[in-house]
Amino acid sequence: MALKQKVALIAGASGLVGQALTELLLEAPEYREVIILVRKPVERWQHHTGLRQVIVDYEHLEQQRHELQADDIYCCLGTTIRQAKTQENMYRIDVTYPLELARIAREEGATQFLVVSAMGADSHSRVFYSRIKGEMEQQLAQIGYESLSIVRPSLLLGKRREFRLGERTGAILARGLAPLFIGPMNKYKAISAEIVAEGMYRIAQRKPQGTVVYLSNQLQVAARPATR
Ligand SMILES: NC(=O)c1ccc[n+]([C@@H]2O[C@H](COP(=O)([O-])OP(=O)(O)OC[C@H]3O[C@@H](n4cnc5c(N)ncnc54)[C@H](OP(=O)(O)O)[C@@H]3O)[C@@H](O)[C@H]2O)c1
């Protein structure tokens, strides 16, 4: 792919992974434009050339389909049950919105979709969070992308605007237990949002054909620059 040819679109760009990805793609030589879908404008990117902020309402995404024209779609949407308050709301944000985005963007010509799912995603799981992530993955695979990359990070590390007790405790534990996460246990090791973003970006440039799932340890590898 020649330089500055492609357009990237990022959903969930204001989140932990989404922000890291936006910063990265703005500097990436492959993209001439980065479109971010946000609920309200992100001030620090207001005047960035090469970046277009689109204010979206995912409940009415169909009405904004003309804004969803891009080559590579990166989906970093998601919520917590604490924020969503009900399982129904959480399902809409974690499953319905990504699927709706994927469907419309595909119809508008996108050929590659990359999505942040989660470790343990399984449509048969008894755990609601794992089950809906698994469902989202399964349904995405039916949409017909040339390339669908599903990344399943373990606990995410990074600075958040809000305090999340579970994550903070997990991060402290993960740091203490880090020496145990070797060999096959490596996939459980906490991973920084920057590494997830870097991995997604590098995977997108290779554009693997079909549906490929990346566990945390595989993302760590994908994030490394290619060696000659
Ligand atoms: N946290 C972890 O340890 C962990 C581990 C594995 C996988 N994951 C998954 O990784 C993904 C990214 O996680 P993250 O921590 O980067 O997420 P995050 O910081 O919570 O960001 C979520 C993004 O989704 C957007 N969003 C949430 N509700 C929305 C709504 N109703 N309408 C429109 N946009 C909405 C947010 O926009 P606003 O800024 O407008 O709210 C934000 O841009 C999620 O799918 C998550 O489930 C997380």
Side-chain angles (χ1 to χ4, degrees):
M1 170 67 69
L3 297 185
K4 299 280 177 203
Q5 285 296 301
K6 297 195 289 179
V7 175
L9 181 148
I10 307 173
S14 53
L16 191 62
V17 175
Q19 284 182 52
L21 194 54
T22 305
E23 297 287 356
L24 194 65
L25 298 198
L26 284 173
E27 302 301 322
E30 295 85 358
Y31 295 109
R32 66 179 155 83
E33 187 179 31
V34 177
I35 302 169
I36 60 170
L37 306 186
V38 283
R39 287 197 278 189
K40 51 180 194 289
V42 180
E43 208 166 308
R44 73 172 186 279
W45 293 324
Q46 284 279 41
H47 305 292
H48 205 296
T49 50
L51 177 89
R52 181 150 57 95
Q53 304 206 33
V54 175
I55 308 301
V56 281
D57 175 359
Y58 285 92
E59 293 293 327
H60 304 283
L61 208 52
E62 186 66 50
Q63 291 165 15
Q64 289 176 282
R65 67 158 52 235
H66 60 284
E67 308 263 26
L68 310 181
Q69 291 166 354
D71 301 283
D72 298 344
I73 314 293
Y74 294 85
C75 181
C76 310
L77 284 171
T79 190
T80 59
I81 193 68
R82 196 189 166 122
Q83 284 170 335
K85 304 221 168 29
T86 65
Q87 288 192 343
E88 194 187 354
N89 288 343
M90 189 168 181
Y91 187 93
R92 289 197 72 70
I93 297 161
D94 277 71
V95 182
T96 311
Y97 293 174
L99 288 174
E100 189 69 348
L101 168 67
R103 180 186 64 78
I104 298 171
R106 178 73 198 95
E107 288 170 6
E108 292 295 322
T111 54
Q112 168 152 241
F113 197 89
L114 301 102
V115 65
V116 189
S117 178
M119 186 172 75
D122 173 3
S123 60
H124 300 294
S125 174
R126 289 184 181 193
V127 179
F128 176 73
Y129 179 69
S130 304
R131 191 166 68 244
I132 64 172
K133 291 293 192 192
E135 209 174 296
M136 183 263 298
E137 292 184 4
Q138 269 187 357
Q139 293 190 40
L140 271 180
Q142 307 303 318
I143 293 179
Y145 276 89
E146 253 173 54
S147 177
L148 168 63
S149 296
I150 295 167
V151 306
R152 289 186 188 164
S154 47
L155 178 71
L156 288 176
L157 300 175
K159 272 205 184 131
R160 287 194 184 280
R161 279 168 297 177
E162 87 275 11
F163 179 74
R164 293 185 186 173
L165 179 65
E167 271 182 28
R168 192 66 67 84
T169 314
I172 293 167
L173 274 173
R175 230 167 273 135
L177 298 174
L180 299 178
F181 294 114
I182 50 171
M185 299 298 282
N186 205 8
K187 61 176 180 278
Y188 300 111
K189 192 175 168 183
I191 186 167
S192 79
E194 280 84 8
I195 300 283
V196 176
E198 185 88 38
M200 291 175 82
Y201 159 64
R202 290 191 187 278
I203 291 166
Q205 306 326 305
R206 294 203 312 269
K207 198 176 183 186
Q209 294 300 288
T211 301
V212 185
V213 174
Y214 298 83
L215 305 182
S216 252
N217 52 334
Q218 296 164 323
L219 256 178
Q220 301 264 9
V221 175
R224 291 182 203 139
T227 48
R228 285 167 196 272

